[in-house]
Amino acid sequence: MSLALGSLSAADKFDFSKLDLSKLPPPAQKKGLTYATDIRPLLEASCFRCHGNERPKADLQLNNLDSLLKGGKDGKIVVAGDSKKSPLVVAIAQIDDETAMPPKRGPGRRGPGGGGPGAPGGPPGGAAGGATPPSPNGPPRGGPGGFAPPKALTPEQVGLVRAWIDQGAK
């Protein structure tokens, strides 16, 4: 999530006043959320390809709690106790096209999870299952380079991240 915000914390420099935060999914009601049990699995499925151990974009690693809380080159992305002031939440909720993570994929996109068959962000090649049939020479293909594009988090998953941050991000 590169927000190009300079040396201050991403949360300090991010202009939340230009966003409609009412579009954020509500925090989940679940109590006792932890990074290891509840949040890491969500981020692993959608974020680790770009923000894991190997060449993390914007120097932002999300694959362990310490790195996530440290933030990246743009500063901290989590304000423990206040999910509405956490750039991570705005990015994963995709309420702003400029900071949406994963990045939105063009005009054919239809909400979280991607567009329809053959649309940018949707199942490639019109395959209903999200991947083209296996080729006789290798595994199933998903998208450019043989990988399916990462899927956006669902509103329910964003709600879990919000609740985790509101509960102190531990």
Side-chain angles (χ1 to χ4, degrees), residues 50-72:
C50 296
H51 298 289
N53 279 335
E54 297 180 24
R55 300 177 304 190
K57 290 184 178 184
D59 294 326
L60 178 61
Q61 281 187 283
L62 303 178
N63 59 322
N64 66 71
L65 179 60
D66 290 338
S67 294
L68 184 149
L69 294 176
K70 177 183 167 194

Side-chain angles (χ1 to χ4, degrees), residues 7-8 10 14 20 42 44 50 54 73-75 77-78 97 121 126 155:
S7 61
L8 292 177
F14 197 79
D20 182 359
L42 303 177
E44 184 173 10
C50 296
E54 297 180 24
K73 76 173 187 170
D74 295 326
I77 60 165
V78 168
D97 289 347

Side-chain angles (χ1 to χ4, degrees), residues 122-138:
T132 55
S135 76
N137 299 324

Side-chain angles (χ1 to χ4, degrees), residues 84-165:
K84 279 191 169 183
K85 293 195 190 281
S86 297
L88 174 65
V89 172
V90 171
I92 64 172
Q94 297 194 325
I95 64 170
D96 174 51
D97 289 347
E98 296 299 315
T99 58
M101 288 291 147
K104 292 191 175 186
R105 306 245 182 235
R109 184 169 161 59
R110 294 187 301 179
T132 55
S135 76
N137 299 324
R141 297 178 310 276
F147 297 101
K151 290 186 179 182
L153 271 63
T154 66
E156 292 78 17
Q157 291 170 324
V158 173
L160 281 172
V161 173
R162 286 198 62 196
W164 169 73
I165 291 172

